[in-house]
């Protein structure tokens, strides 16, 4: 939103840009999830260190509570045809778990309002139809900017089964290859829940965890709590304003069960660190406090935008990946560790050959 106060360097989008050689963008994951590199960054000093992800139990603050996002990525990139024969591509962004269908008992067809990015040769008009399979189609209702389209999604049978059969893994646009069978496993956290199906992008910091590493963390006395944030295209949407104070964050569905809220409250009361695994878990925790006024059970939406000057109410650190220049994710991390310290760490990571973005290496801010 507009502001009358003069902008500081922390307010300017250009201050969060940096040069990233294309060779640093990871096209494929590490052969073993927890064998990727891990940079540590101290919030208080900016001091950095280098390890591998499996060293995480030795690097976390004693007794830390890790908070993970248990959303499940759905194969929601779909290819279809218009009645004229023209090709169409859809990225379904409404979480599958949140669709509210009405089902005709006579025909077995279900219909639900939804949204997504629709790529067609000409902008669709209300009533235009796109077919993806004999048992799945959409009918456009409204066209927005940058390909955003509202529509009614129609299917017969089990939608998750249909998507599993015809859908593609929604790899982010900076991965310059088509998805393959391996991505169905590697672009999914080991703790994703079937009943939380709906993300159009993975909570990528969690991709580095293995069942074995989770077992080690539990045996060492670290806590683990779950939240849900269905990740949408906002993860990749650029900040389009020169003064970031004017940026409007996309809305995301978040959910915090009472057990997690209680675990966070207890950790804070006992002086144990709360470490978010990924920016989506961080937005969920801080978003609940903003929306509800306290750390409590919550289910709803938030559009919280975390930038330098923000005072964290729940977080003491974060496990994260390396993010896009000028993105809201880099801006959030700058709020946690300081812009200049973060950019210095990113510069060191580039010089040291770290791999960036979704399938890349990791960072622990503590």
């Amino acid at each position: 939103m507009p502001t009358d106060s003069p902008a500081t360097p922390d307010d300017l989008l250009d201050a969060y840009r940096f040069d990233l050689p294309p060779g640093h963008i990871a096209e494929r994951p590490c052969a073993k999830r927890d064998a990727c590199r891990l940079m540590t960054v101290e919030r208080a000093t900016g001091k950095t260190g280098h390890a591998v992800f499996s060293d995480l139990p030795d690097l976390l603050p004693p007794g830390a509570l890790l908070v993970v996002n248990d959303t499940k990525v759905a194969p929601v990139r779909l290819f279809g045809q218009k009645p004229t024969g023209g090709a169409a591509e859809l990225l379904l962004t409404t979480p599958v778990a949140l669709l509210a269908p009405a089902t005709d008992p006579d025909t077995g067809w279900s219909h639900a309002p939804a949204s997504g990015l629709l790529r067609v040769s000409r902008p669709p008009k209300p009533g235009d139809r796109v077919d993806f399979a004999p048992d799945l189609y959409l009918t456009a209702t409204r066209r927005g900017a940058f390909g955003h389209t509202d529509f009614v999604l129609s299917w017969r049978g089990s939608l998750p089964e249909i998507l599993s059969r015809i859908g593609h893994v929604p790899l982010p646009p900076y991965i310059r290859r088509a998805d393959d069978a391996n991505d169905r496993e590697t672009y999914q956290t080991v703790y994703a829940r079937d009943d939380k199906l709906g993300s159009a992008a993975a909570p990528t910091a969690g991709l580095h965890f293995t069942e074995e590493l989770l077992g080690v963390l539990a045996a060492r006395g670290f806590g683990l709590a779950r939240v849900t944030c269905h990740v949408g295209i906002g993860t990749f949407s650029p900040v389009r304003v020169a003064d970031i104070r004017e940026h409007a964050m996309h809305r995301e569905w978040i959910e915090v069960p009472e057990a997690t809220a209680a675990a966070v409250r207890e950790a804070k009361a006992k002086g144990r660190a709360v470490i978010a695994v990924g920016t989506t878990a961080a937005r969920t925790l801080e978003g609940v406090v903003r929306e509800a006024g306290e750390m409590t059970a919550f289910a709803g939406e938030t559009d919280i935008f975390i930038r330098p000057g923000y005072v964290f109410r729940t977080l003491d650190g974060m496990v994260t990946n390396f993010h896009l220049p000028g993105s809201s994710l880099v801006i959030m991390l700058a709020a946690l560790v300081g812009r200049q310290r973060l950019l210095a760490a990113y510069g060191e990571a580039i010089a040291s050959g770290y791999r960036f973005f979704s399938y890349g290496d990791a960072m622990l801010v503590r």
Side-chain angles (χ1 to χ4, degrees), residues 200-226:
T204 54
L207 297 181
H208 308 296
F209 286 85
T210 64
E211 295 288 1
E212 294 77 11
L213 180 57
L214 292 172
V216 171
L217 289 165
R220 295 274 294 270
F222 295 102
L224 185 74
R226 295 169 177 258

Side-chain angles (χ1 to χ4, degrees), residues 193-209:
R193 288 176 45 174
D194 290 342
D195 62 338
K196 302 295 184 181
L197 184 69
S199 279
T204 54
L207 297 181
H208 308 296
F209 286 85

